[in-house]
Amino acid sequence: MKPKSRLYTLVKNWSKKPPSIVKEAGNTNLYRSATQNPKEKLDNWGKAQDLFFELALNSQTQYTQFVILNSLIDCAQEDVLRLFNDGIRASCYWHSYSKPTAIMLPIRYEWLIDQDILKGLQNALLNCHLPIGLINVGLMNRPTTNKKIKLQDSIIKLQRLGVLLHLMNFEGHQIDCELLNDHDFKYVYVNASLLRQAIPGSQCEEKLLALIKIAKNYGCLVTAGPIKLIYEKLAAEKFGIDCYFGQHIMPAMTIHQVVKLGKSAKQQTAIRSYLNKKIS
């Protein structure tokens, strides 16, 4: 029997069309594009390999808390926006694979008080459409007194866009405590060298315990790193550090390796062992 229904014919013709990939409007993903030619795909794949991410693990469960884009730490000012956008695209890439992973982007205060850079950061955050909590910004250094107000205004603008804050290189100075008192920081970082020098009964141990107490009083999670020695890892667990990162915690990984990384402790241990063998 020949079908005479016009609806049937439309459905039949539609079913014979070649499958097409639906992409989110406005998403210029650097790592996934269905319409790129082979050369563009190869170039973008190469750019993706240039980025390496350091994983911060929970000291108790060994689960990934967030990843750090270390390229921003020593970059020139003209590269800040490019690397910041690369970090956001990486988070979008992980989220597209249903493996949302928070990323921490280290920033210097000089960049935040620069209006052009701040505007670029705001535009990148407004256009990423990621859930709140996936984009984290870490403050690497501190301003002088006359630039403190400008920094606070910039921090407020970032927090209004759903950014979580990290206070890096915490030393317990007055400016550190003022920032903790005025803003909601999620993580506070102590240097791993303090863990190495925190011999029982020493002044370093007293300083470390005091810094941890200050951070806990403000409701922050304490992060230590970079961990370079096994002793530092054991000391971090002994002093109740919440998270740690570094070469002896998990080697730096590419954007694609982060996707393949499982959330369970067994999977993370397996890939850490694999990467250690690959490095050696």
Side-chain angles (χ1 to χ4, degrees):
M1 182 177 66
K2 293 183 180 181
K4 296 182 180 180
S5 170
R6 187 168 181 268
L7 178 62
Y8 180 91
T9 305
L10 288 173
V11 172
K12 183 179 179 181
N13 293 338
W14 173 82
S15 64
K16 290 182 179 181
K17 285 186 178 181
S20 58
I21 299 175
V22 179
K23 296 175 63 182
E24 183 181 351
N27 183 13
T28 57
N29 196 320
L30 188 67
Y31 313 115
R32 294 177 65 199
S33 179
T35 59
Q36 287 178 327
N37 60 45
K39 186 178 183 303
E40 286 179 320
K41 287 184 179 180
L42 186 61
D43 290 343
N44 288 337
W45 182 86
K47 290 178 183 177
Q49 303 314 303
D50 291 337
L51 297 177
F52 284 89
F53 304 88
E54 197 160 19
L55 275 68
L57 304 186
N58 185 290
S59 60
Q60 300 300 319
T61 64
Q62 299 298 299
Y63 284 11
T64 301
Q65 293 290 108
F66 54 89
V67 300
I68 306 168
L69 181 57
N70 280 342
S71 304
L72 273 165
I73 294 178
D74 299 318
C75 77
Q77 184 161 323
E78 55 267 22
D79 295 326
V80 173
L81 291 179
R82 176 180 61 82
L83 290 171
F84 192 89
N85 278 281
D86 284 346
I88 289 181
R89 279 193 288 265
S91 188
C92 291
Y93 177 69
W94 299 324
H95 192 263
S96 69
Y97 273 88
S98 300
K99 290 190 176 181
T101 304
I103 186 169
M104 196 281 284
L105 304 165
I107 295 292
R108 303 184 69 83
Y109 86 84
E110 296 93 342
W111 304 338
L112 289 179
I113 63 176
D114 185 293
Q115 292 303 309
D116 292 333
I117 294 181
L118 179 61
K119 189 175 293 185
L121 300 181
Q122 289 177 291
N123 289 336
L125 293 168
L126 284 169
N127 294 324
C128 70
H129 307 297
L130 286 171
I132 292 176
L134 288 187
I135 304 299
N136 296 229
V137 168
L139 183 62
M140 288 190 282
N141 60 343
R142 312 292 183 262
T144 54
T145 305
N146 59 337
K147 296 181 179 178
K148 178 185 170 184
I149 296 178
K150 288 185 178 180
L151 174 64
Q152 288 184 322
D153 290 340
S154 300
I155 288 176
I156 291 172
K157 289 177 181 178
L158 292 181
Q159 284 186 306
R160 286 173 178 169
L161 295 175
V163 170
L164 298 184
L165 297 177
H166 297 211
L167 188 63
M168 305 174 68
N169 303 315
F170 182 61
E171 291 288 340
H173 296 149
Q174 180 179 349
I175 185 66
D176 292 345
C177 295
E178 288 176 357
L179 287 169
L180 286 176
N181 188 62
D182 296 338
H183 305 284
D184 185 19
F185 284 87
K186 179 71 174 177
Y187 293 90
V188 166
Y189 291 50
V190 295
N191 200 297
S193 61
L194 266 180
L195 296 172
R196 184 168 61 252
Q197 299 167 11
I199 301 170
S202 66
Q203 290 184 346
C204 286
E205 184 188 42
E206 293 179 4
K207 180 179 179 180
L208 178 62
L209 292 174
L211 293 179
I212 294 174
K213 184 177 180 180
I214 292 173
K216 294 292 186 181
N217 286 340
Y218 282 102
C220 303
L221 297 174
V222 182
T223 303
I227 302 293
K228 299 179 180 178
L229 302 171
I230 295 296
Y231 175 79
E232 295 172 356
K233 178 179 183 294
L234 298 175
E237 295 169 353
K238 169 188 171 184
F239 286 106
I241 300 294
D242 298 294
C243 312
Y244 43 33
F245 63 93
Q247 184 178 356
H248 281 285
I249 303 302
M250 184 74 79
M253 306 178 76
T254 66
I255 183 174
H256 307 297
Q257 288 172 331
V258 175
V259 168
K260 296 177 182 177
L261 183 66
K263 291 186 177 180
S264 71
K266 289 183 178 179
Q267 288 174 301
Q268 297 209 8
T269 303
I271 196 166
R272 180 165 60 242
S273 175
Y274 167 74
L275 290 171
N276 285 333
K277 289 179 181 178
K278 192 173 180 181
I279 292 173
S280 58

